[in-house]
Amino acid sequence: MKKTWRKLLMTVVATMLVASMLVTSASAFETPGGYQGSNIIEYVGDYDEDTYPRQNINASFVSGGIVVDGVLDEAYADVQAKDISNYFNKVTSGDPDATQTTGKLRTIWDGNTLYVAVTVLDDDVVIGDETNPGPGANPAMAGKKVVTYPYGPGWPVEGIQENTDSVSIGLDLFNDKFVFETDTCGVITIGADGGLYYFRNSNIPSLSSALGDPEHPEYMNVIQGYAVAPVFDEVQTTVQIGYTVEVAFYIGEMDPANQKTIGLDISINDVNMVETVPTKQATVFWSHKQADLYKDFDNERPNAVDWGNVKLTGHTTEEIPASKWAIKQILDYVDSASFAKGVYTVESTGVFEIAKATAKTVYDNPKATNKQIADATKKLEEAFAGLRWADTTYPDPADLPSLATLPNPYKFFNSDRVVESIEDWTERKEEILDLAQFYEYGYKPEYDKLTVDDLSMVHVHHDAGWDYSTWIYYPVAVDYDVLHLTFTVTVGDNSETFKIQINAPDEAKVTEAAAAGRELPIMLGEAGDPSSIYNANGFYTISVPACVSDTRTNAYAWGTRTGQFYNLYPYSRNGEDALKEVSNEMAMAWMTSAVIDALEAAKFGTNDSYKTKLKGIDVTKLGVTGFSINGKYAFVAGVFDERIDVVIPGASGASGTSPWRYVYRGQEYDFSGTAFAGSTNGTTKFIAFGTEVIANSVRHNRVRETELFRHFMTAGRFYEYEEDAYGYGTRLPFDQSDLAATLAPRVLIINNTPNDFNDGSVADALTAEVAISVYNALGYDGENLVLFNYRAAVDSGADPHGSDDAQTLRQCEYMNHYFFGDELSEETETRLKTDPFNLKVCNKRTMSAYTYYWGGFNTITGGTGVEGENGWYYYTFDNDDVVVRDGTTLYYENGSDNRNIFRFEEDLSELVKVKIDGVEVTPKDSWAGSTFVEISNTDLDKLTNGSHTITAVFKNREITSSIVVVGAPATGDSTILFVIGGIVLLMAAAAVLLLIRKKA
């Protein structure tokens, strides 16, 4: 069949396949569970629901106003009263006989308000002399503020010494039953003294009590009132026998109606006097019974999984009065630091300002009618939801469609067009990177000038002990000489100077490389030194300077940010400049590129002294690595700088390699009989609590994503379960898996631990799996370029968030194989190509995690059914003009018009000649000012199967690369296949043979 017909047939088939791919359908696969209509499994962790069932209570509907004063209205008289009697000692499970304190819980509702009343019977009510209402330490209990030094002098810890009886209330407004605190779930404490207490984390405010702390970025703002009143003996009316706590919670956000449920738990914190010192004696819970879950409420991880359920009942046909509280919530929010100002379109801002003014007038009017309140509330909520981002390059997140499965990387944004050639993919790749910068990371900025100031050998001395600047421990004092490169970056009138240290490989490796006539690669480490194991295995290492801070206080995240990056590119929370926000990830990607720029400037510049000092260092062979937050930095740096050959993100998870759309909460794995069983005691079975989801990341890591990225979550309901979704962020027009695919044909090595669930263990691997399919569709050998470097699981009770030397050694071995063709051991190759979650570790070890929980790669990529092949995972297209890199080689098949186009990252106006095997050939065509050279078929067809060389000679430099002819055809045949590899720069100035393509 002629190639033209084959190409036409492939186009028809591809069109038919793509047509089926473009129809977004819900997965036909039934997951083993699901919660609140989603495909996410409800995670209960160690909670044993059968043995310790949750408590239930009905909230009866009442008409008329309820006065919140601690004295129970008649409306409470005939409602259910549930005992609060599950005792826990401060340290161990308590004995009911150890205290006489008991409690009763009653709940009622009147439409938009839930009233919670707790009557405590305690014949020894203790109120301390020095109570401090407001923010406290975890757990936030009524008491006095104290400072202790549990970690030694110089490490003060501020806390609360409980010295007052109190009641803690956990409210889970939408009954989501999360382990951790969310923007609709939190804990407050009401003291017997009448004070409101809550946990505040001054370092990371988003870890504070969303229910209690108004400085929390997603403050719930639902406490309409609270009060405490003493309870007296009915006979001896002056004798106090307890106290009543009453709280009114606004619940209008959940559209209250009969049969809807709210999560709730209560604890009575009983303090007694011990030798005149107030001491916590017991915690008495309503629903919580299982002692091994927790002893006290923990605001950051309140374990709402076993909280009780409040069911709304009793409402008939009477009209529910409108509440001004909905107006207050929005007015308070837009007046807080949490709300970015001056970042929305003029039109949507104008509509909102009118609605806000009207609503405020109604709110301030004590005589406003029910209709006025309802109308003003509706218009204010609609106007608030209608605010649209001022930069209209792409649609506002609110205007994007929802997609539960991974988006199609081959489909262009907001279009029916799909990738059908390598040229199309090049264009689509740039679009993906642009979308990610616009919505998630911010745009990688440019600088005006970079100057190498100095490159010199410096003597370094470290005393024995810790070097706290790098957190490296030196068992003995060390002295060594090392290269320091200093460079200055200028942006406008501002300049910043950076210094990097170039650590050399072991001398034996340097000598060996010199003898072989090759220079050695560089491993870049994000914001910390890469392991010295890289040096021992033949790599230079450089620590990329930390140009930003990871500070997450309100004042920093939304105020004045510090660091050399922000000195060059100042940040503003509000106004037009806020539209140019750059995340920490992108700032560090910028820093990584600047380091590479400085290395190239020194290596290929005019300073002969610098060239001499860098002799033996190949600045064009680069890897980048990092772990945890630095793993995120490594991934983003690699994605946005194509000069980096090998990208190794360690436990990068959220905003790194984990797709936002896939959460593995509640999944169970059994690694029996695999290399991934527990590393110490051989633990084989694990239950995942799920990676950091988009809501966690945008709340807790507010310098790691942009303000716009927050808008992919619903304000006031960041953790809302979505119909048929496997995770969150379903309106994102891309996902992290798309970013991984753009690395092709470079190397991606996922470094993680199977049970490091918080940091992307499963989702990172999912990204790698789908990236392999894209690599393969593009014609690259995905299985050899996208790899899994997982160590064994860490046994329960130990921290799985880490890596080991064996993983680093495998990475070193692979990179020497990749860069130099060194033989890869069978053991290393097998380990790097084994995804622990693609083994049969689920459903009694009969299915992979991907198949059992997510319906397989077909379902994950938008297809229907586990066995189907209509998902984009199986998409292929005609690769007649594809460039592929496999290890040390590049594959090329020329175009149907018999043209063989070589592309150089260099202006060809300085091209002198081209040689094949040392013999000069005349290019068929070349274009001065461009980067393309066309070689005649006649010259290429003379080559026999085997190795050859091609050399491009410029005025002051040469580029030489090996060519392997795989199948030498007859002269003029248009199916010549070349393998171009082992790029060697002899005198290159950032001139690297990167791409071979057909001239349009």
Side-chain angles (χ1 to χ4, degrees), residues 49-97:
E49 184 178 359
D50 294 333
T51 306
Y52 305 98
R54 301 179 181 95
Q55 293 294 304
N56 296 288
I57 189 172
N58 290 336
S60 299
F61 184 83
V62 297
S63 299
I66 301 295
V67 178
V68 179
D69 56 6
V71 179
L72 300 187
D73 293 45
E74 290 185 7
Y76 288 101
D78 297 324
V79 303
Q80 282 184 316
K82 292 297 185 86
D83 290 334
I84 304 171
S85 57
N86 300 324
Y87 288 83
F88 292 87
N89 185 268
K90 186 71 173 175
V91 179
T92 59
S93 183
D95 179 351
D97 295 333

Side-chain angles (χ1 to χ4, degrees), residues 915-956:
K915 297 186 292 184
I916 297 179
D917 292 338
V919 178
E920 183 175 353
V921 297
T922 302
K924 184 177 179 181
D925 204 354
S926 65
W927 302 270
S930 76
T931 60
F932 299 97
V933 174
E934 182 177 355
I935 305 299
S936 168
N937 278 331
T938 302
D939 287 321
L940 293 175
D941 288 351
K942 294 176 182 178
L943 302 180
T944 60
N945 288 337
S947 297
H948 305 272
T949 60
I950 181 169
T951 304
V953 182
F954 295 85
K955 290 180 181 178
N956 297 309

Side-chain angles (χ1 to χ4, degrees), residues 524-818:
L524 301 166
E526 293 295 333
D529 291 331
S531 168
S532 60
I533 292 174
Y534 291 107
N535 300 125
N537 284 271
F539 296 89
Y540 286 86
T541 58
I542 295 173
S543 173
V544 177
C547 63
V548 290
S549 169
D550 197 40
T551 307
R552 286 169 272 171
T553 62
N554 278 343
Y556 179 87
W558 290 338
T560 302
R561 299 184 187 177
T562 59
Q564 290 179 283
F565 177 84
Y566 290 117
N567 293 342
L568 294 172
Y569 308 99
Y571 167 74
S572 173
R573 166 70 170 162
N574 301 312
E576 185 177 341
D577 286 344
L579 303 178
K580 304 172 185 176
E581 182 180 6
V582 178
S583 67
N584 273 16
E585 280 88 339
M586 188 56 80
M588 286 301 294
W590 173 91
M591 186 76 257
T592 305
S593 294
V595 168
I596 299 171
D597 291 344
L599 288 168
E600 290 183 342
K603 179 80 173 184
F604 304 125
T606 59
N607 189 313
D608 291 336
S609 172
Y610 293 169
K611 294 179 181 180
T612 300
K613 291 184 175 70
L614 292 175
K615 185 177 181 181
I617 304 177
D618 192 338
V619 302
T620 69
K621 289 185 172 66
L622 300 170
V624 66
T625 190
F627 189 82
S628 193
I629 175 59
N630 295 328
K632 305 177 196 295
Y633 295 162
F635 177 67
V636 178
V639 166
F640 290 96
D641 195 324
E642 292 194 350
R643 294 171 295 180
I644 299 173
D645 303 282
V646 181
V647 182
I648 311 177
S652 64
S655 79
T657 46
S658 287
W660 298 109
R661 284 173 168 86
Y662 278 83
V663 174
Y664 42 89
R665 184 185 307 141
Q667 294 186 7
E668 300 182 28
Y669 318 106
D670 183 353
F671 294 111
S672 301
T674 74
F676 305 103
S679 55
T680 306
N681 300 320
T683 304
T684 59
K685 297 181 180 180
F686 300 90
I687 300 177
F689 56 81
T691 191
E692 186 178 42
V693 301
I694 188 171
N696 296 61
S697 195
V698 299
R699 289 177 62 226
H700 299 327
N701 304 315
R702 289 171 290 144
V703 292
R704 299 182 189 174
E705 284 94 10
T706 62
E707 167 66 26
L708 180 58
F709 195 63
R710 293 166 55 85
H711 291 239
F712 285 101
M713 297 286 92
T714 302
R717 189 80 197 277
F718 272 18
Y719 295 84
E720 182 176 11
Y721 288 99
E722 298 182 49
E723 189 72 23
D724 295 326
Y726 299 87
Y728 303 89
T730 59
R731 285 181 286 113
L732 274 166
F734 65 95
D735 216 320
Q736 305 305 102
S737 51
D738 296 316
L739 300 181
T742 68
L743 290 170
R746 295 177 287 144
V747 175
L748 171 64
I749 303 177
I750 299 296
N751 182 305
N752 215 316
T753 304
N755 61 327
D756 187 1
F757 301 125
N758 189 65
D759 300 284
S761 57
V762 188
D764 283 3
L766 171 61
T767 278
E769 290 285 3
V770 296
I772 288 172
S773 78
V774 178
Y775 272 57
N776 290 339
L778 296 172
Y780 309 127
D781 189 351
E783 285 78 7
N784 283 318
L785 294 169
V786 182
L787 304 160
F788 308 86
N789 193 10
Y790 279 72
R791 60 176 178 163
V794 173
D795 289 297
S796 299
D799 185 2
H801 191 48
S803 60
D804 59 28
D805 291 349
Q807 288 173 289
T808 307
L809 286 168
R810 284 193 288 269
Q811 286 153 189
C812 290
E813 185 181 347
Y814 177 84
M815 286 188 292
N816 277 316
H817 164 73
Y818 176 77

